[in-house]
PDB file of all heavy atoms in Angstrom:
ATOM      1  N   VAL C   1     190.951  32.839  36.190  1.00 99.00           N
ATOM      2  CA  VAL C   1     190.922  33.921  35.207  1.00 99.00           C
ATOM      3  C   VAL C   1     192.268  33.977  34.486  1.00 99.00           C
ATOM      4  O   VAL C   1     193.324  33.855  35.110  1.00 99.00           O
ATOM      5  CB  VAL C   1     190.588  35.290  35.843  1.00 99.00           C
ATOM      6  CG1 VAL C   1     189.165  35.305  36.368  1.00 99.00           C
ATOM      7  CG2 VAL C   1     191.559  35.645  36.971  1.00 99.00           C
ATOM      8  N   ALA C   2     192.203  34.127  33.174  1.00 98.00           N
ATOM      9  CA  ALA C   2     193.389  34.285  32.339  1.00 98.00           C
ATOM     10  C   ALA C   2     193.384  35.704  31.797  1.00 98.00           C
ATOM     11  O   ALA C   2     192.447  36.110  31.109  1.00 98.00           O
ATOM     12  CB  ALA C   2     193.381  33.272  31.204  1.00 98.00           C
ATOM     13  N   ILE C   3     194.415  36.465  32.129  1.00 98.00           N
ATOM     14  CA  ILE C   3     194.484  37.885  31.801  1.00 98.00           C
ATOM     15  C   ILE C   3     195.736  38.116  30.956  1.00 98.00           C
ATOM     16  O   ILE C   3     196.835  37.663  31.319  1.00 98.00           O
ATOM     17  CB  ILE C   3     194.536  38.725  33.094  1.00 98.00           C
ATOM     18  CG1 ILE C   3     193.251  38.489  33.908  1.00 98.00           C
ATOM     19  CG2 ILE C   3     194.714  40.200  32.783  1.00 98.00           C
ATOM     20  CD1 ILE C   3     193.296  39.067  35.307  1.00 98.00           C
ATOM     21  N   ASP C   4     195.575  38.802  29.835  1.00 98.00           N
ATOM     22  CA  ASP C   4     196.728  39.008  28.956  1.00 98.00           C
ATOM     23  C   ASP C   4     197.575  40.182  29.428  1.00 98.00           C
ATOM     24  O   ASP C   4     197.224  40.889  30.379  1.00 98.00           O
ATOM     25  CB  ASP C   4     196.298  39.153  27.491  1.00 98.00           C
ATOM     26  CG  ASP C   4     195.464  40.397  27.212  1.00 98.00           C
ATOM     27  OD1 ASP C   4     195.631  41.425  27.907  1.00 98.00           O
ATOM     28  OD2 ASP C   4     194.635  40.351  26.264  1.00 98.00           O
ATOM     29  N   ALA C   5     198.713  40.373  28.762  1.00 98.00           N
ATOM     30  CA  ALA C   5     199.681  41.372  29.216  1.00 98.00           C
ATOM     31  C   ALA C   5     199.177  42.799  29.058  1.00 98.00           C
ATOM     32  O   ALA C   5     199.737  43.726  29.663  1.00 98.00           O
ATOM     33  CB  ALA C   5     200.999  41.199  28.459  1.00 98.00           C
ATOM     34  N   ALA C   6     198.118  43.001  28.279  1.00 98.00           N
ATOM     35  CA  ALA C   6     197.508  44.323  28.143  1.00 98.00           C
ATOM     36  C   ALA C   6     196.382  44.532  29.151  1.00 98.00           C
ATOM     37  O   ALA C   6     195.722  45.569  29.149  1.00 98.00           O
ATOM     38  CB  ALA C   6     196.991  44.515  26.725  1.00 98.00           C
ATOM     39  N   GLY C   7     196.134  43.542  30.006  1.00 98.00           N
ATOM     40  CA  GLY C   7     195.070  43.654  31.000  1.00 98.00           C
ATOM     41  C   GLY C   7     193.722  43.154  30.524  1.00 98.00           C
ATOM     42  O   GLY C   7     192.729  43.294  31.240  1.00 98.00           O
ATOM     43  N   GLY C   8     193.672  42.560  29.342  1.00 98.00           N
ATOM     44  CA  GLY C   8     192.409  42.032  28.833  1.00 98.00           C
ATOM     45  C   GLY C   8     192.088  40.674  29.426  1.00 98.00           C
ATOM     46  O   GLY C   8     192.987  39.878  29.713  1.00 98.00           O
ATOM     47  N   LEU C   9     190.810  40.414  29.603  1.00 98.00           N
ATOM     48  CA  LEU C   9     190.375  39.122  30.114  1.00 98.00           C
ATOM     49  C   LEU C   9     190.332  38.143  28.943  1.00 98.00           C
ATOM     50  O   LEU C   9     189.426  38.172  28.114  1.00 98.00           O
ATOM     51  CB  LEU C   9     189.005  39.250  30.778  1.00 98.00           C
ATOM     52  CG  LEU C   9     188.512  38.058  31.600  1.00 98.00           C
ATOM     53  CD1 LEU C   9     189.456  37.752  32.750  1.00 98.00           C
ATOM     54  CD2 LEU C   9     187.108  38.318  32.127  1.00 98.00           C
ATOM     55  N   ALA C  10     191.337  37.259  28.877  1.00 98.00           N
ATOM     56  CA  ALA C  10     191.466  36.346  27.743  1.00 98.00           C
ATOM     57  C   ALA C  10     190.530  35.155  27.851  1.00 98.00           C
ATOM     58  O   ALA C  10     190.206  34.526  26.836  1.00 98.00           O
ATOM     59  CB  ALA C  10     192.917  35.858  27.636  1.00 98.00           C
ATOM     60  N   GLY C  11     190.099  34.814  29.063  1.00 98.00           N
ATOM     61  CA  GLY C  11     189.196  33.685  29.239  1.00 98.00           C
ATOM     62  C   GLY C  11     189.047  33.336  30.706  1.00 98.00           C
ATOM     63  O   GLY C  11     189.814  33.807  31.556  1.00 98.00           O
ATOM     64  N   THR C  12     188.047  32.531  31.003  1.00 98.00           N
ATOM     65  CA  THR C  12     187.812  32.089  32.377  1.00 98.00           C
ATOM     66  C   THR C  12     187.422  30.614  32.361  1.00 98.00           C
ATOM     67  O   THR C  12     186.831  30.126  31.396  1.00 98.00           O
ATOM     68  CB  THR C  12     186.684  32.888  33.055  1.00 98.00           C
ATOM     69  OG1 THR C  12     185.445  32.663  32.374  1.00 98.00           O
ATOM     70  CG2 THR C  12     186.997  34.379  33.054  1.00 98.00           C
ATOM     71  N   TYR C  13     187.759  29.932  33.440  1.00 99.00           N
ATOM     72  CA  TYR C  13     187.412  28.520  33.585  1.00 99.00           C
ATOM     73  C   TYR C  13     186.840  28.288  34.976  1.00 99.00           C
ATOM     74  O   TYR C  13     187.475  28.620  35.989  1.00 99.00           O
ATOM     75  CB  TYR C  13     188.645  27.635  33.382  1.00 99.00           C
ATOM     76  CG  TYR C  13     188.432  26.224  33.895  1.00 99.00           C
ATOM     77  CD1 TYR C  13     187.504  25.373  33.298  1.00 99.00           C
ATOM     78  CD2 TYR C  13     189.132  25.752  35.006  1.00 99.00           C
ATOM     79  CE1 TYR C  13     187.274  24.088  33.783  1.00 99.00           C
ATOM     80  CE2 TYR C  13     188.909  24.469  35.496  1.00 99.00           C
ATOM     81  CZ  TYR C  13     187.991  23.646  34.884  1.00 99.00           C
ATOM     82  OH  TYR C  13     187.761  22.382  35.373  1.00 99.00           O
ATOM     83  N   ARG C  14     185.648  27.723  35.035  1.00 99.00           N
ATOM     84  CA  ARG C  14     185.018  27.367  36.305  1.00 99.00           C
ATOM     85  C   ARG C  14     185.315  25.900  36.611  1.00 99.00           C
ATOM     86  O   ARG C  14     185.010  25.026  35.804  1.00 99.00           O
ATOM     87  CB  ARG C  14     183.513  27.606  36.226  1.00 99.00           C
ATOM     88  CG  ARG C  14     183.150  29.079  36.121  1.00 99.00           C
ATOM     89  CD  ARG C  14     181.680  29.268  35.788  1.00 99.00           C
ATOM     90  NE  ARG C  14     181.280  30.671  35.866  1.00 99.00           N
ATOM     91  CZ  ARG C  14     180.112  31.140  35.459  1.00 99.00           C
ATOM     92  NH1 ARG C  14     179.208  30.304  34.938  1.00 99.00           N
ATOM     93  NH2 ARG C  14     179.836  32.421  35.567  1.00 99.00           N
ATOM     94  N   LYS C  15     185.903  25.663  37.762  1.00 98.00           N
ATOM     95  CA  LYS C  15     186.349  24.322  38.166  1.00 98.00           C
ATOM     96  C   LYS C  15     185.228  23.297  38.014  1.00 98.00           C
ATOM     97  O   LYS C  15     184.124  23.475  38.535  1.00 98.00           O
ATOM     98  CB  LYS C  15     186.829  24.381  39.610  1.00 98.00           C
ATOM     99  CG  LYS C  15     187.393  23.098  40.167  1.00 98.00           C
ATOM    100  CD  LYS C  15     187.843  23.348  41.599  1.00 98.00           C
ATOM    101  CE  LYS C  15     188.433  22.122  42.256  1.00 98.00           C
ATOM    102  NZ  LYS C  15     188.794  22.406  43.671  1.00 98.00           N
ATOM    103  N   ILE C  16     185.522  22.213  37.296  1.00 98.00           N
ATOM    104  CA  ILE C  16     184.520  21.196  36.997  1.00 98.00           C
ATOM    105  C   ILE C  16     184.385  20.188  38.140  1.00 98.00           C
ATOM    106  O   ILE C  16     183.286  19.855  38.572  1.00 98.00           O
ATOM    107  CB  ILE C  16     184.873  20.474  35.687  1.00 98.00           C
ATOM    108  CG1 ILE C  16     184.710  21.428  34.491  1.00 98.00           C
ATOM    109  CG2 ILE C  16     184.014  19.233  35.498  1.00 98.00           C
ATOM    110  CD1 ILE C  16     185.201  20.848  33.177  1.00 98.00           C
ATOM    111  N   HIS C  17     185.511  19.681  38.618  1.00 98.00           N
ATOM    112  CA  HIS C  17     185.504  18.616  39.619  1.00 98.00           C
ATOM    113  C   HIS C  17     185.662  19.227  41.008  1.00 98.00           C
ATOM    114  O   HIS C  17     186.652  19.904  41.286  1.00 98.00           O
ATOM    115  CB  HIS C  17     186.646  17.629  39.354  1.00 98.00           C
ATOM    116  CG  HIS C  17     186.579  16.986  38.009  1.00 98.00           C
ATOM    117  ND1 HIS C  17     187.325  17.434  36.937  1.00 98.00           N
ATOM    118  CD2 HIS C  17     185.837  15.948  37.543  1.00 98.00           C
ATOM    119  CE1 HIS C  17     187.067  16.683  35.883  1.00 98.00           C
ATOM    120  NE2 HIS C  17     186.161  15.776  36.216  1.00 98.00           N
ATOM    121  N   LEU C  18     184.695  18.993  41.876  1.00 98.00           N
ATOM    122  CA  LEU C  18     184.681  19.615  43.203  1.00 98.00           C
ATOM    123  C   LEU C  18     185.181  18.629  44.250  1.00 98.00           C
ATOM    124  O   LEU C  18     184.890  17.431  44.209  1.00 98.00           O
ATOM    125  CB  LEU C  18     183.276  20.110  43.534  1.00 98.00           C
ATOM    126  CG  LEU C  18     182.716  21.129  42.536  1.00 98.00           C
ATOM    127  CD1 LEU C  18     181.335  21.594  42.972  1.00 98.00           C
ATOM    128  CD2 LEU C  18     183.657  22.318  42.352  1.00 98.00           C
ATOM    129  N   PHE C  19     185.905  19.152  45.219  1.00 98.00           N
ATOM    130  CA  PHE C  19     186.658  18.353  46.184  1.00 98.00           C
ATOM    131  C   PHE C  19     185.751  17.863  47.313  1.00 98.00           C
ATOM    132  O   PHE C  19     185.764  18.381  48.425  1.00 98.00           O
ATOM    133  CB  PHE C  19     187.824  19.190  46.725  1.00 98.00           C
ATOM    134  CG  PHE C  19     188.761  18.435  47.632  1.00 98.00           C
ATOM    135  CD1 PHE C  19     189.425  17.315  47.197  1.00 98.00           C
ATOM    136  CD2 PHE C  19     188.982  18.880  48.924  1.00 98.00           C
ATOM    137  CE1 PHE C  19     190.298  16.632  48.035  1.00 98.00           C
ATOM    138  CE2 PHE C  19     189.850  18.209  49.773  1.00 98.00           C
ATOM    139  CZ  PHE C  19     190.511  17.080  49.328  1.00 98.00           C
ATOM    140  N   ASP C  20     184.976  16.846  46.990  1.00 97.00           N
ATOM    141  CA  ASP C  20     184.158  16.166  48.000  1.00 97.00           C
ATOM    142  C   ASP C  20     184.887  14.878  48.380  1.00 97.00           C
ATOM    143  O   ASP C  20     184.473  13.763  48.031  1.00 97.00           O
ATOM    144  CB  ASP C  20     182.764  15.869  47.461  1.00 97.00           C
ATOM    145  CG  ASP C  20     181.913  17.122  47.315  1.00 97.00           C
ATOM    146  OD1 ASP C  20     182.378  18.207  47.705  1.00 97.00           O
ATOM    147  OD2 ASP C  20     180.791  17.016  46.810  1.00 97.00           O
ATOM    148  N   ALA C  21     185.998  15.030  49.062  1.00 96.00           N
ATOM    149  CA  ALA C  21     186.881  13.907  49.361  1.00 96.00           C
ATOM    150  C   ALA C  21     187.698  14.249  50.597  1.00 96.00           C
ATOM    151  O   ALA C  21     187.779  15.422  50.995  1.00 96.00           O
ATOM    152  CB  ALA C  21     187.805  13.627  48.177  1.00 96.00           C
ATOM    153  N   PHE C  22     188.302  13.228  51.202  1.00 94.00           N
ATOM    154  CA  PHE C  22     189.135  13.426  52.394  1.00 94.00           C
ATOM    155  C   PHE C  22     188.378  14.193  53.476  1.00 94.00           C
ATOM    156  O   PHE C  22     188.947  14.993  54.215  1.00 94.00           O
ATOM    157  CB  PHE C  22     190.449  14.141  52.042  1.00 94.00           C
ATOM    158  CG  PHE C  22     191.410  13.309  51.240  1.00 94.00           C
ATOM    159  CD1 PHE C  22     191.427  13.377  49.861  1.00 94.00           C
ATOM    160  CD2 PHE C  22     192.306  12.456  51.869  1.00 94.00           C
ATOM    161  CE1 PHE C  22     192.310  12.608  49.110  1.00 94.00           C
ATOM    162  CE2 PHE C  22     193.200  11.681  51.133  1.00 94.00           C
ATOM    163  CZ  PHE C  22     193.197  11.760  49.750  1.00 94.00           C
ATOM    164  N   GLY C  23     187.064  13.991  53.529  1.00 93.00           N
ATOM    165  CA  GLY C  23     186.252  14.633  54.553  1.00 93.00           C
ATOM    166  C   GLY C  23     185.810  16.044  54.224  1.00 93.00           C
ATOM    167  O   GLY C  23     185.091  16.671  55.011  1.00 93.00           O
ATOM    168  N   ASP C  24     186.223  16.583  53.067  1.00 95.00           N
ATOM    169  CA  ASP C  24     185.796  17.929  52.670  1.00 95.00           C
ATOM    170  C   ASP C  24     184.550  17.821  51.797  1.00 95.00           C
ATOM    171  O   ASP C  24     184.236  16.765  51.248  1.00 95.00           O
ATOM    172  CB  ASP C  24     186.926  18.636  51.913  1.00 95.00           C
ATOM    173  CG  ASP C  24     186.810  20.146  51.959  1.00 95.00           C
ATOM    174  OD1 ASP C  24     185.699  20.639  52.239  1.00 95.00           O
ATOM    175  OD2 ASP C  24     187.818  20.830  51.719  1.00 95.00           O
ATOM    176  N   HIS C  25     183.836  18.959  51.656  1.00 96.00           N
ATOM    177  CA  HIS C  25     182.597  18.991  50.867  1.00 96.00           C
ATOM    178  C   HIS C  25     182.536  20.314  50.110  1.00 96.00           C
ATOM    179  O   HIS C  25     181.703  21.170  50.388  1.00 96.00           O
ATOM    180  CB  HIS C  25     181.374  18.816  51.771  1.00 96.00           C
ATOM    181  CG  HIS C  25     181.404  17.557  52.577  1.00 96.00           C
ATOM    182  ND1 HIS C  25     181.044  16.333  52.061  1.00 96.00           N
ATOM    183  CD2 HIS C  25     181.783  17.330  53.861  1.00 96.00           C
ATOM    184  CE1 HIS C  25     181.181  15.403  52.981  1.00 96.00           C
ATOM    185  NE2 HIS C  25     181.635  15.974  54.089  1.00 96.00           N
ATOM    186  N   GLU C  26     183.424  20.459  49.130  1.00 98.00           N
ATOM    187  CA  GLU C  26     183.486  21.709  48.379  1.00 98.00           C
ATOM    188  C   GLU C  26     182.162  22.030  47.699  1.00 98.00           C
ATOM    189  O   GLU C  26     181.783  23.202  47.567  1.00 98.00           O
ATOM    190  CB  GLU C  26     184.610  21.645  47.343  1.00 98.00           C
ATOM    191  CG  GLU C  26     184.839  22.969  46.617  1.00 98.00           C
ATOM    192  CD  GLU C  26     185.962  22.917  45.603  1.00 98.00           C
ATOM    193  OE1 GLU C  26     186.441  21.807  45.265  1.00 98.00           O
ATOM    194  OE2 GLU C  26     186.366  24.003  45.136  1.00 98.00           O
ATOM    195  N   SER C  27     181.425  21.008  47.278  1.00 98.00           N
ATOM    196  CA  SER C  27     180.185  21.253  46.538  1.00 98.00           C
ATOM    197  C   SER C  27     179.118  21.934  47.388  1.00 98.00           C
ATOM    198  O   SER C  27     178.138  22.462  46.838  1.00 98.00           O
ATOM    199  CB  SER C  27     179.630  19.948  45.972  1.00 98.00           C
ATOM    200  OG  SER C  27     179.265  19.061  47.013  1.00 98.00           O
ATOM    201  N   GLU C  28     179.263  21.929  48.708  1.00 97.00           N
ATOM    202  CA  GLU C  28     178.312  22.664  49.547  1.00 97.00           C
ATOM    203  C   GLU C  28     178.489  24.173  49.385  1.00 97.00           C
ATOM    204  O   GLU C  28     177.548  24.935  49.608  1.00 97.00           O
ATOM    205  CB  GLU C  28     178.508  22.287  51.016  1.00 97.00           C
ATOM    206  CG  GLU C  28     178.146  20.851  51.341  1.00 97.00           C
ATOM    207  CD  GLU C  28     178.406  20.499  52.791  1.00 97.00           C
ATOM    208  OE1 GLU C  28     178.970  21.366  53.527  1.00 97.00           O
ATOM    209  OE2 GLU C  28     178.061  19.378  53.205  1.00 97.00           O
ATOM    210  N   ARG C  29     179.685  24.595  48.999  1.00 98.00           N
ATOM    211  CA  ARG C  29     180.005  26.020  48.901  1.00 98.00           C
ATOM    212  C   ARG C  29     180.235  26.487  47.471  1.00 98.00           C
ATOM    213  O   ARG C  29     180.185  27.687  47.199  1.00 98.00           O
ATOM    214  CB  ARG C  29     181.251  26.328  49.735  1.00 98.00           C
ATOM    215  CG  ARG C  29     181.176  25.831  51.163  1.00 98.00           C
ATOM    216  CD  ARG C  29     182.485  26.033  51.924  1.00 98.00           C
ATOM    217  NE  ARG C  29     183.595  25.289  51.358  1.00 98.00           N
ATOM    218  CZ  ARG C  29     183.862  24.012  51.617  1.00 98.00           C
ATOM    219  NH1 ARG C  29     183.061  23.314  52.411  1.00 98.00           N
ATOM    220  NH2 ARG C  29     184.912  23.425  51.080  1.00 98.00           N
ATOM    221  N   VAL C  30     180.546  25.534  46.588  1.00 98.00           N
ATOM    222  CA  VAL C  30     180.985  25.854  45.231  1.00 98.00           C
ATOM    223  C   VAL C  30     180.116  25.107  44.226  1.00 98.00           C
ATOM    224  O   VAL C  30     179.847  23.914  44.385  1.00 98.00           O
ATOM    225  CB  VAL C  30     182.469  25.462  45.038  1.00 98.00           C
ATOM    226  CG1 VAL C  30     182.915  25.726  43.605  1.00 98.00           C
ATOM    227  CG2 VAL C  30     183.360  26.229  46.020  1.00 98.00           C
ATOM    228  N   ALA C  31     179.673  25.817  43.197  1.00 98.00           N
ATOM    229  CA  ALA C  31     178.921  25.209  42.099  1.00 98.00           C
ATOM    230  C   ALA C  31     179.903  24.782  41.004  1.00 98.00           C
ATOM    231  O   ALA C  31     180.893  25.471  40.751  1.00 98.00           O
ATOM    232  CB  ALA C  31     177.909  26.195  41.529  1.00 98.00           C
ATOM    233  N   PRO C  32     179.643  23.644  40.324  1.00 98.00           N
ATOM    234  CA  PRO C  32     180.597  23.157  39.330  1.00 98.00           C
ATOM    235  C   PRO C  32     180.487  23.887  38.000  1.00 98.00           C
ATOM    236  O   PRO C  32     179.405  24.327  37.596  1.00 98.00           O
ATOM    237  CB  PRO C  32     180.203  21.687  39.166  1.00 98.00           C
ATOM    238  CG  PRO C  32     178.730  21.680  39.449  1.00 98.00           C
ATOM    239  CD  PRO C  32     178.522  22.720  40.525  1.00 98.00           C
ATOM    240  N   GLY C  33     181.608  23.994  37.315  1.00 98.00           N
ATOM    241  CA  GLY C  33     181.599  24.421  35.929  1.00 98.00           C
ATOM    242  C   GLY C  33     181.158  23.286  35.030  1.00 98.00           C
ATOM    243  O   GLY C  33     180.951  22.155  35.477  1.00 98.00           O
ATOM    244  N   ASP C  34     181.045  23.582  33.725  1.00 97.00           N
ATOM    245  CA  ASP C  34     180.501  22.561  32.825  1.00 97.00           C
ATOM    246  C   ASP C  34     181.238  22.438  31.498  1.00 97.00           C
ATOM    247  O   ASP C  34     180.742  21.798  30.575  1.00 97.00           O
ATOM    248  CB  ASP C  34     179.019  22.835  32.560  1.00 97.00           C
ATOM    249  CG  ASP C  34     178.768  24.195  31.921  1.00 97.00           C
ATOM    250  OD1 ASP C  34     179.749  24.891  31.567  1.00 97.00           O
ATOM    251  OD2 ASP C  34     177.598  24.578  31.791  1.00 97.00           O
ATOM    252  N   ARG C  35     182.452  23.033  31.398  1.00 98.00           N
ATOM    253  CA  ARG C  35     183.158  22.875  30.120  1.00 98.00           C
ATOM    254  C   ARG C  35     184.657  23.095  30.309  1.00 98.00           C
ATOM    255  O   ARG C  35     185.082  23.962  31.081  1.00 98.00           O
ATOM    256  CB  ARG C  35     182.631  23.860  29.063  1.00 98.00           C
ATOM    257  CG  ARG C  35     182.833  25.321  29.397  1.00 98.00           C
ATOM    258  CD  ARG C  35     182.204  26.241  28.368  1.00 98.00           C
ATOM    259  NE  ARG C  35     182.421  27.642  28.707  1.00 98.00           N
ATOM    260  CZ  ARG C  35     183.457  28.359  28.279  1.00 98.00           C
ATOM    261  NH1 ARG C  35     184.354  27.805  27.472  1.00 98.00           N
ATOM    262  NH2 ARG C  35     183.590  29.618  28.628  1.00 98.00           N
ATOM    263  N   PRO C  36     185.474  22.308  29.607  1.00 98.00           N
ATOM    264  CA  PRO C  36     186.912  22.559  29.582  1.00 98.00           C
ATOM    265  C   PRO C  36     187.204  23.865  28.836  1.00 98.00           C
ATOM    266  O   PRO C  36     186.442  24.260  27.942  1.00 98.00           O
ATOM    267  CB  PRO C  36     187.486  21.361  28.834  1.00 98.00           C
ATOM    268  CG  PRO C  36     186.379  20.354  28.789  1.00 98.00           C
ATOM    269  CD  PRO C  36     185.103  21.119  28.832  1.00 98.00           C
ATOM    270  N   VAL C  37     188.301  24.508  29.186  1.00 98.00           N
ATOM    271  CA  VAL C  37     188.619  25.804  28.584  1.00 98.00           C
ATOM    272  C   VAL C  37     190.097  25.849  28.179  1.00 98.00           C
ATOM    273  O   VAL C  37     190.984  25.557  28.986  1.00 98.00           O
ATOM    274  CB  VAL C  37     188.319  26.965  29.559  1.00 98.00           C
ATOM    275  CG1 VAL C  37     188.806  28.295  28.982  1.00 98.00           C
ATOM    276  CG2 VAL C  37     186.815  27.030  29.853  1.00 98.00           C
ATOM    277  N   VAL C  38     190.323  26.224  26.930  1.00 98.00           N
ATOM    278  CA  VAL C  38     191.664  26.522  26.423  1.00 98.00           C
ATOM    279  C   VAL C  38     191.685  27.993  26.038  1.00 98.00           C
ATOM    280  O   VAL C  38     190.777  28.481  25.356  1.00 98.00           O
ATOM    281  CB  VAL C  38     192.010  25.649  25.194  1.00 98.00           C
ATOM    282  CG1 VAL C  38     193.372  26.035  24.627  1.00 98.00           C
ATOM    283  CG2 VAL C  38     191.985  24.174  25.568  1.00 98.00           C
ATOM    284  N   VAL C  39     192.710  28.718  26.502  1.00 98.00           N
ATOM    285  CA  VAL C  39     192.815  30.145  26.216  1.00 98.00           C
ATOM    286  C   VAL C  39     194.116  30.426  25.466  1.00 98.00           C
ATOM    287  O   VAL C  39     195.082  29.664  25.565  1.00 98.00           O
ATOM    288  CB  VAL C  39     192.777  30.993  27.511  1.00 98.00           C
ATOM    289  CG1 VAL C  39     191.455  30.814  28.234  1.00 98.00           C
ATOM    290  CG2 VAL C  39     193.937  30.659  28.437  1.00 98.00           C
ATOM    291  N   GLU C  40     194.117  31.523  24.740  1.00 98.00           N
ATOM    292  CA  GLU C  40     195.328  32.008  24.081  1.00 98.00           C
ATOM    293  C   GLU C  40     195.965  33.049  24.992  1.00 98.00           C
ATOM    294  O   GLU C  40     195.357  34.077  25.294  1.00 98.00           O
ATOM    295  CB  GLU C  40     194.983  32.614  22.730  1.00 98.00           C
ATOM    296  CG  GLU C  40     196.187  33.023  21.906  1.00 98.00           C
ATOM    297  CD  GLU C  40     196.793  31.857  21.120  1.00 98.00           C
ATOM    298  OE1 GLU C  40     196.048  30.902  20.842  1.00 98.00           O
ATOM    299  OE2 GLU C  40     197.989  31.933  20.794  1.00 98.00           O
ATOM    300  N   LEU C  41     197.171  32.774  25.454  1.00 97.00           N
ATOM    301  CA  LEU C  41     197.816  33.643  26.433  1.00 97.00           C
ATOM    302  C   LEU C  41     199.325  33.598  26.207  1.00 97.00           C
ATOM    303  O   LEU C  41     199.898  32.508  26.063  1.00 97.00           O
ATOM    304  CB  LEU C  41     197.477  33.167  27.852  1.00 97.00           C
ATOM    305  CG  LEU C  41     197.484  34.179  28.992  1.00 97.00           C
ATOM    306  CD1 LEU C  41     196.490  35.310  28.734  1.00 97.00           C
ATOM    307  CD2 LEU C  41     197.156  33.498  30.309  1.00 97.00           C
ATOM    308  N   ALA C  42     199.936  34.762  26.162  1.00 95.00           N
ATOM    309  CA  ALA C  42     201.385  34.859  25.937  1.00 95.00           C
ATOM    310  C   ALA C  42     201.802  34.090  24.683  1.00 95.00           C
ATOM    311  O   ALA C  42     202.846  33.435  24.643  1.00 95.00           O
ATOM    312  CB  ALA C  42     202.155  34.355  27.163  1.00 95.00           C
ATOM    313  N   GLY C  43     200.957  34.158  23.646  1.00 96.00           N
ATOM    314  CA  GLY C  43     201.263  33.514  22.383  1.00 96.00           C
ATOM    315  C   GLY C  43     201.163  32.005  22.403  1.00 96.00           C
ATOM    316  O   GLY C  43     201.661  31.339  21.484  1.00 96.00           O
ATOM    317  N   THR C  44     200.504  31.458  23.415  1.00 98.00           N
ATOM    318  CA  THR C  44     200.453  30.007  23.600  1.00 98.00           C
ATOM    319  C   THR C  44     199.032  29.583  23.928  1.00 98.00           C
ATOM    320  O   THR C  44     198.321  30.287  24.649  1.00 98.00           O
ATOM    321  CB  THR C  44     201.394  29.593  24.758  1.00 98.00           C
ATOM    322  OG1 THR C  44     202.716  30.066  24.481  1.00 98.00           O
ATOM    323  CG2 THR C  44     201.426  28.089  24.930  1.00 98.00           C
TER     324      THR C  44
END
């Protein structure tokens, strides 16, 4: 979550690549996102 200095929700990003590696299986617990996200925050 990206939150601006006034407390507004500037944007959100759902993790695309899930950590099914090194013996872990994140995808069993976590659903993948489907898009890259760029937000405007702190003037950047």
